[in-house]
Amino acid sequence: MQSFKIIGMDLDKLAGGRHGHYTVDPQKLAHPKTQSAFKWVFGILAAEVVVGLAAIGIALVQQLNGINVPFAVWFRGLVVLLMTVTLFFFGWRAKNGFYYGYQRLRLFSQIFPVITLVVATIPGLYPYWMVVEQIIFAVLMIGVADFLTSDHMRDAFPSPKRKAELEAATTAK
């Protein structure tokens, strides 16, 4: 697997830290269950982008029709859309075998729904339609997390430490 560089910067090292170039077993990556999980994950992330664009579209239509749209709506709409695009990057790197991509995508898909639902409960912060959008966003993210935390995917993407332990156990036998 080749590292991803832009303007001489190694984005895998930047995004993945010390394990930025650690990749998983290509056979496990090519497994039909792994490939199927990634198809679902990318499909759900595409749905997230549609939901995010719809939120911005609703806000724009309301603003053009003279309804005051609070700054919090614009901010949340744009930030969530940008975060979702970032998740595509992590998903792409994970699909190419980079452990950090899988690990970051799994982590964010577990954290974002919690944050989203907590923020959605703040009274008066968002209009009702955006609260509904946040709930849909959270449910979709939970779907991504569900695929990524399956037994198969955790086995396909062992951490560097776990991989070393498994190899040590195999050679000891």
Side-chain angles (χ1 to χ4, degrees), residues 113-124:
V114 174
I115 294 168
T116 301
L117 293 173
V118 167
V119 170
T121 64
I122 299 172

Side-chain angles (χ1 to χ4, degrees), residues 160-173:
K161 180 181 177 185
R162 186 164 160 242
K163 184 177 180 182
E165 290 169 355
L166 290 171
E167 288 173 353
T170 303
T171 56
K173 289 183 182 180

Side-chain angles (χ1 to χ4, degrees), residues 69-146:
V69 178
F71 174 75
V73 170
W74 292 110
F75 183 77
R76 189 216 178 269
L78 290 172
V79 167
V80 168
L81 194 56
L82 291 173
M83 287 185 330
T84 305
V85 171
T86 302
L87 295 179
F88 270 106
F89 173 77
F90 291 133
W92 170 59
R93 297 318 282 161
K95 191 170 179 4
N96 285 311
F98 288 87
Y99 171 76
Y100 84 87
Y102 164 78
Q103 189 257 348
R104 301 286 193 280
L105 184 57
R106 190 180 81 190
L107 174 70
F108 292 137
S109 68
Q110 292 172 323
I111 291 172
F112 286 168
V114 174
I115 294 168
T116 301
L117 293 173
V118 167
V119 170
T121 64
I122 299 172
L125 182 60
Y126 298 114
Y128 178 73
W129 65 266
M130 182 152 259
V131 171
V132 171
E133 182 266 348
Q134 287 182 295
I135 293 168
I136 293 169
F137 174 86
V139 168
L140 289 171
M141 268 292 126
I142 290 168
V144 170
D146 190 45

Side-chain angles (χ1 to χ4, degrees), residues 2-84:
Q2 214 164 347
S3 65
F4 184 60
K5 293 183 180 184
I6 293 182
I7 313 170
M9 281 187 0
D10 185 347
L11 289 183
D12 289 320
K13 190 71 173 165
L14 181 66
R18 70 174 186 248
H19 299 302
H21 294 135
Y22 168 70
T23 57
V24 298
D25 180 1
Q27 288 180 330
K28 290 183 178 181
L29 194 60
H31 192 281
K33 282 186 178 182
T34 308
Q35 294 303 309
S36 176
F38 278 121
K39 284 180 187 172
W40 278 100
V41 165
F42 282 112
I44 294 169
L45 288 176
E48 293 276 10
V49 169
V50 170
V51 168
L53 289 172
I56 291 172
I58 290 169
L60 185 61
V61 167
Q62 286 187 343
Q63 191 75 41
L64 292 174
N65 286 320
I67 299 170
N68 184 33
V69 178
F71 174 75
V73 170
W74 292 110
F75 183 77
R76 189 216 178 269
L78 290 172
V79 167
V80 168
L81 194 56
L82 291 173
M83 287 185 330
T84 305

